[in-house]
Amino acid sequence: MTAAVHVQDLVKKYKDMPRNAVDHLSFDIPAGAVVGLLGPNGAGKSTLIKLLCGATLPDSGAVEVFGSDPAAHGGRAKQDIGVVHQTGPFDMMLPALDNLRIAARFKGLRWRDVRAWVDDLISAFGLEQNLSQLTFSLSGGELRRLQVIRALLGSPPLLLLDEPSAGLDVGGRREVWALLDTLRREHGTTVVWTSHYVEELERNCQKVLILNRGHLVDFAAPRDLAERCGDRAALLRPSDPAKTARLAALLEQPDLRIHVSADWVEVTCRDVRGRLPALLADAEALGIGVNSVEYRAPSLEDAFIELVGAADDR
């Protein structure tokens, strides 16, 4: 079965940049998957999105969307892709609805064929009252919603999202999440999604591709990354809050990370469950009783910090 996205040894370098923006990336994304792109600023995420949609050309290597080159003139791939860039140009002096009409025309779509789908999207994003407004008068969140609607014209089988939640409040982010879930379940849409909100990728993506300095650091399911790379934490509450500082001092060891509050100590390390019995026995021997222990499972954010830190050290 043809992958939705196939990337092989992909390289992109910009003039006067000391390293490759995208450096020999190889991966495949199956059709219908929702994949997150995660990385620090300058990791190569936006460049990769531009390469996937054919907005820029690679220096070497190959990228295919459903078996076709997205940069090929007149090729099929561009019709299969919807894109939400970090900045989306609109004609600010036209009403919002006219901007959607123009976008449909550029995509080669007849307005009467897509109007019902557009109306559904407008309703889903709560923009019914904004259609006649001049686009410059829309709020940042309303413009972001309009960008997503424009990207979905024609129901493209591949949707590329570059920070789609930027500028949206909590309600707006959840609207985007719900819509993307519907697209995946009902239409089999493949989604590639960059975000600085780690928790939304952890919640919504089947796999996460982590980039750093143009390199592929890891590519796996969020829970697999968290379990494999993230550290576990334990929250210890001493029986006597006055002994919190003594407990923290006892736990000060090179391979343990300690965070102290007024009446609890958080201990973080890879094998915290295995380490705690001996530590608690040492505390008991010193007269420091511990009332309760609460464990926190590692998160994608924990894994990301671990992986990117390790990559930066190379």
Side-chain angles (χ1 to χ4, degrees):
M1 183 177 179
T2 301
V5 175
H6 171 69
V7 169
Q8 183 65 46
D9 204 25
L10 194 62
V11 175
K12 179 65 179 180
K13 183 173 183 178
Y14 295 112
K15 185 180 179 180
D16 299 326
M17 189 173 180
R19 57 179 175 80
N20 294 333
V22 167
D23 197 3
H24 298 283
L25 293 185
S26 296
F27 60 87
D28 287 305
I29 297 175
V34 180
V35 172
L37 292 182
L38 188 58
N41 291 332
K45 303 186 299 298
S46 292
T47 297
L48 179 56
I49 290 290
K50 291 176 182 176
L51 288 163
L52 294 181
C53 69
T56 190
L57 298 175
D59 292 303
S60 63
V63 55
E64 294 180 354
V65 173
F66 297 106
S68 299
D69 181 356
H73 181 69
R76 170 70 193 177
K78 287 190 181 298
Q79 300 175 36
D80 290 334
I81 302 171
V83 188
V84 176
H85 292 292
Q86 288 189 24
T87 58
F90 292 104
D91 189 325
M92 292 297 183
M93 298 308 295
L94 287 179
L97 187 60
D98 284 354
N99 270 291
L100 294 178
R101 289 177 182 271
I102 292 170
R105 187 66 178 271
F106 273 117
K107 284 194 170 189
L109 303 170
R110 294 189 300 181
W111 183 245
R112 65 175 176 268
D113 292 338
V114 299
R115 181 60 195 264
W117 173 236
V118 170
D119 287 343
D120 288 343
L121 293 173
I122 288 169
S123 176
F125 280 105
L127 290 180
E128 299 98 321
Q129 306 304 314
N130 306 104
L131 296 181
S132 61
Q133 281 183 242
L134 296 182
T135 304
F136 80 85
S137 67
L138 299 178
S139 69
E142 289 164 348
L143 282 171
R144 205 63 174 156
R145 290 175 172 90
L146 194 64
Q147 273 186 276
V148 176
I149 293 171
R150 181 174 63 180
L152 291 171
L153 289 171
S155 301
L158 173 63
L159 189 58
L160 305 176
L161 306 174
D162 197 359
E163 300 287 346
S165 297
L168 296 179
D169 57 18
V170 173
R173 294 216 309 272
R174 289 182 179 272
E175 289 170 359
V176 171
W177 299 351
L179 178 63
L180 294 176
D181 184 58
T182 299
L183 290 170
R184 181 187 62 80
R185 287 186 292 103
E186 297 184 4
H187 300 277
T189 306
T190 306
V191 181
V192 180
W193 180 353
T194 80
S195 179
H196 284 297
Y197 297 111
V198 179
E199 73 280 1
E200 77 175 357
L201 297 185
E202 183 171 31
R203 176 170 179 165
N204 294 288
C205 296
Q206 296 162 330
K207 296 183 75 173
V208 175
L209 192 155
I210 297 179
L211 298 179
N212 193 45
R213 299 178 182 271
H215 294 278
L216 176 60
V217 177
D218 213 322
F219 188 25
R223 180 43 43 192
D224 290 345
L225 286 168
E227 293 291 343
R228 176 161 47 86
C229 305
D231 288 342
R232 293 182 178 271
L235 197 67
L236 281 59
R237 296 184 183 276
S239 305
D240 181 359
K243 295 181 179 180
T244 301
R246 287 184 61 198
L247 177 61
L250 171 67
L251 297 172
E252 286 285 353
Q253 298 185 24
D255 57 340
L256 300 180
R257 296 197 300 277
I258 307 298
H259 181 71
V260 185
S261 183
D263 58 354
W264 53 262
V265 180
E266 184 181 71
V267 186
T268 304
C269 70
R270 186 60 51 85
D271 184 30
V272 70
R273 284 183 181 269
R275 296 286 302 278
L276 270 186
L279 294 171
L280 292 176
D282 291 344
E284 191 69 32
L286 294 175
I288 307 172
V290 175
N291 250 356
S292 66
V293 178
E294 300 174 23
Y295 288 101
R296 178 178 66 81
S299 67
L300 178 60
E301 183 173 348
D302 296 326
F304 173 64
I305 291 171
E306 179 73 18
L307 286 167
V308 169
D312 278 338
D313 288 342
R314 289 201 296 266

